[in-house]
Amino acid sequence: MSKQNIFYAQSGGVTAVINASACGVIETARQHKDKVGKVYAGRNGILGALNEELIDTSKETKKNIAGLRYTPGGAFGSCRYKLKSIEENRAQYERLIEVFEAHNIGYFLYNGGGDSQDTAHKVSQLSKTMGYPITCIGIPKTVDNDLPITDNCPGFGSVAKYVAISIREAGLDVASMAETSTKVFIMEVMGRHSGWIAAAGGLAAENAGDAPHIILLPEVPFNKATFLKRVDHCVKKYGFCAIVVSEGVRHPNGNFLADAGLTDAFGHTQLGGAAPVVAQLIKSELNYKYHWAVADYLQRSARHIASKTDVEQAYALGKAAVEYAIKGKNAIMVTIERKSGPRYGWKIGETPLKKVANVERELPKRYISKNGFGITQACRNYLEPLIAGEDYPPYKKGLPQYVKLKNILVKKKLEALVTD
Amino acid sequence: MSKQNIFYAQSGGVTAVINASACGVIETARQHKDKVGKVYAGRNGILGALNEELIDTSKETKKNIAGLRYTPGGAFGSCRYKLKSIEENRAQYERLIEVFEAHNIGYFLYNGGGDSQDTAHKVSQLSKTMGYPITCIGIPKTVDNDLPITDNCPGFGSVAKYVAISIREAGLDVASMAETSTKVFIMEVMGRHSGWIAAAGGLAAENAGDAPHIILLPEVPFNKATFLKRVDHCVKKYGFCAIVVSEGVRHPNGNFLADAGLTDAFGHTQLGGAAPVVAQLIKSELNYKYHWAVADYLQRSARHIASKTDVEQAYALGKAAVEYAIKGKNAIMVTIERKSGPRYGWKIGETPLKKVANVERELPKRYISKNGFGITQACRNYLEPLIAGEDYPPYKKGLPQYVKLKNILVKKKLEALVTD
């Protein structure tokens, strides 16, 4: 049997470093041409496999593949597309196997979050029973940092760094203007289900009075009275109040703060962010001048200020996925293991996919300060190494020179998929 | 008469590089101890003079003063406080002179925008007639880039760079997800009166299809139908549409888009941004999935990705202000002059304060593309050099190490100001 090809796909929301994992996969596969064939990347993630739209990465120059290491977004396209369960749509899984077989694909490397690891797990199980075994390896990725077992998820460290730097910088701005102008600044960050990203903003505060003064986490039900009291206290004590609010903050009744029942002049529902809601509350109850920012995609695409640790880990996980695949390891997700000891160290580990699939890791209670508005030293100890180091992309005319691949598709061999 | 001291103050909204000008002022004054005394900085801008709250910068270490070059915000505090006209409140101007006389201040260096240059101009006129002549020099600063005569304003180049990088990065994110997720991304930037900052976003687009596809400028009245048609066209042609919208965009009737008549569940008016309004319009009329970001203070405090050109010019203007003051030049603002020729070059110039006071420079029509949604090559030629180069701050544990000064006040000699 000829050397088998690798199928690699990016899944779910992209990050500043998911392409660094792709870079690790492709560069490592190229180093092992005696053992593996080509790397085919799914165009728009798993859809690329279903639609037999396979990008032939061997057509890309060495330089451009190296450039993936510092290019944000998903170079081959990603997708928000969750495969149904095997029971609901066995045909989809059979289609995957059919495509893999048609293109001599022996390795399925899936780069994504919890749903993606679940898919990888199902593919690994099904392929065996269908007589076309494929080596399935998951590569973790999610800015939300919510995958279990792995010490952290590539993508998170860079968002964390961006958020901490941004609130530090904006805090200095507000502090210098507060006497006659804006007294409260609110920055909204991602994290619909967990507060990892918002918590990272806390790293910016090293001394009393430093921004942020308040972090609003999804894990802590929003208490209006306590919150307003704290805002007022900070303005009176420090002259200003800088707030990081997670998009996932909820009222005690479970409703999102962001879902504020806003309507525009035409009576349409306005899907506002959490930041403007908090701002409005402060204005109406405390009458402080405010400003707010919503970082949205800026935070997860901010490759210009990515964490070096994050980039290195993302690359190393992609590399390890290929090495483990060649070794015949199957149905695992590669992980980051934190070494014990006073100095931060890490190595690559692994865990069975079945242990990862559909399990979400929450921000531990011991990482949240007593008053619910800050982070503990234990949290800082966990987070700090993840944002360490800078890894600047190359610049030309003042702008980062991100690469754009040719993305040439492999010739199709099958009939088009008929979707139901 | 003993060597006279310098009064330096930061005025109006701060920037990522206004402290670089302060650094230029203080370091240069320290090099000329034979000619000038100390640099006293106003605590919270001009209020520091009115309240006789003068920060003695000689108490700061050489290292911390050097650190101002890479620290955003206003190190001594700034203010939004416009002096009334001489006719309305002559006492305020007399108070300034009184404070300057009490502390042997012979030089008034005022670092700010149009209003500040107007104040500097008035002080220069008044001091003469009051028998206590002071050398008044304006140092330009404004992210809005709206001062006349000077080629550009320190602070603008760094915001421009941040905005161009951010929309490039977010554009890559959206492009990779568009097939199954967000198709339209909107980033709101500053510029209530002019579109310089929004225009800078256009630098990110170097090839057809690159983000941003649409720039909404305050100079171009918002045409709903044309805009929606363009959004739809971009989504169909490029798969997605990335938009930079200035906070100052207006309807043809002159109303701000941001003032959308929003009310919350309690009937309170919601002061929304322009981005969510544009997003909502796209959702209701075209039904595309959207995301939006509001950069707000993040953009003007983003020292981590400041333009090297901007930092150098901010420093050079502070330096020149002291040198010109020593030479006895009076009632001028120091400026950046662009040299002619194919390669970018600049030098320090000067202009009488009376020519600058209260004059706003608009984005020229020839910088706006025919359809009103983009920038011309002439605009690119102007903007490109201003964002050139990176000037990274030092980092520790993953975070930029911005300096915090001691800000020790000079002992007061006068009675407190009685404000009217």
Side-chain angles (χ1 to χ4, degrees), chain A residues 130-193:
Chain A
M130 289 178 64
Y132 187 79
I134 287 186
T135 302
C136 292
I137 296 190
I139 306 169
K141 171 248 53 166
T142 153
V143 293
D144 294 324
N145 203 37
D146 58 358
L147 284 169
I149 302 169
T150 185
D151 176 68
N152 66 89
C153 302
F156 170 67
S158 294
V159 177
K161 187 180 184 86
Y162 174 92
V163 167
I165 291 176
S166 295
I167 194 67
R168 168 168 289 186
E169 291 180 331
L172 289 174
D173 186 307
V174 179
S176 50
M177 302 292 296
E179 188 132 328
T180 57
S181 184
T182 303
K183 286 193 168 38
V184 180
F185 176 72
I186 305 131
M187 177 169 84
E188 176 174 336
V189 301
M190 286 178 159
R192 189 139 282 231
H193 303 294

Side-chain angles (χ1 to χ4, degrees), chain A residues 340-404:
Chain A
S340 56
R343 281 191 59 188
Y344 178 69
W346 59 275
K347 59 178 182 176
I348 297 293
E350 62 184 277
T351 186
L353 280 169
K354 67 180 173 199
K355 281 196 177 178
V356 186
N358 296 316
V359 181
E360 273 190 25
R361 180 174 60 170
E362 291 177 358
L363 186 69
K365 280 216 171 66
R366 66 191 180 88
Y367 281 9
I368 303 171
S369 67
K370 264 189 184 168
N371 67 9
F373 292 133
I375 58 172
T376 60
Q377 187 58 45
C379 187
R380 299 183 76 88
N381 294 346
Y382 168 76
L383 291 171
E384 258 175 11
L386 307 184
I387 70 164
E390 294 69 53
D391 188 82
Y392 300 119
Y395 279 73
K396 196 175 150 187
K397 291 185 181 176
L399 290 171
Q401 294 304 292
Y402 298 134
V403 299
K404 189 168 186 179

Side-chain angles (χ1 to χ4, degrees), chain A residues 78 169 176 182 291 296-297 402, chain B residues 169 176 182 291 296-297 402:
Chain A
S78 182
E169 291 180 331
S176 50
T182 303
H291 260 246
D296 196 63
Y297 287 164
Y402 298 134
Chain B
E169 291 180 332
S176 50
T182 303
H291 260 248
D296 196 62
Y297 288 163
Y402 299 134

Side-chain angles (χ1 to χ4, degrees), chain A residues 18-141:
Chain A
I18 189 171
N19 286 333
S21 290
C23 178
V25 166
I26 297 167
E27 287 189 345
T28 308
R30 286 183 177 191
Q31 285 160 15
H32 293 92
K33 283 186 179 164
D34 54 326
K35 299 192 184 88
V36 292
K38 295 178 175 181
V39 176
Y40 293 151
R43 182 173 175 275
N44 295 320
I46 197 71
L47 290 176
L50 291 170
N51 298 326
E52 204 193 353
E53 293 185 333
L54 307 176
I55 292 164
D56 185 352
T57 68
S58 74
K59 306 285 190 192
E60 308 292 343
T61 63
K62 192 178 170 185
K63 193 180 164 197
N64 271 358
I65 294 300
L68 289 180
R69 191 178 166 115
Y70 55 77
T71 298
F76 311 106
S78 182
C79 65
R80 290 214 182 277
Y81 183 86
K82 192 180 177 179
L83 290 182
K84 289 180 182 166
S85 70
I86 295 178
E87 294 70 33
E88 281 180 291
N89 198 340
R90 188 180 174 91
Q92 261 187 339
Y93 292 85
E94 289 170 349
R95 168 70 178 184
L96 288 181
I97 304 297
E98 182 189 28
V99 171
F100 294 161
E101 197 164 3
H103 294 277
N104 191 29
I105 288 165
Y107 310 95
F108 176 65
L109 308 190
Y110 208 33
N111 202 170
D115 286 349
S116 311
Q117 306 306 332
D118 181 51
T119 299
H121 177 51
K122 282 174 181 151
V123 171
S124 75
Q125 291 186 293
L126 201 65
S127 68
K128 264 187 237 173
T129 62
M130 289 178 64
Y132 187 79
I134 287 186
T135 302
C136 292
I137 296 190
I139 306 169
K141 171 248 53 166

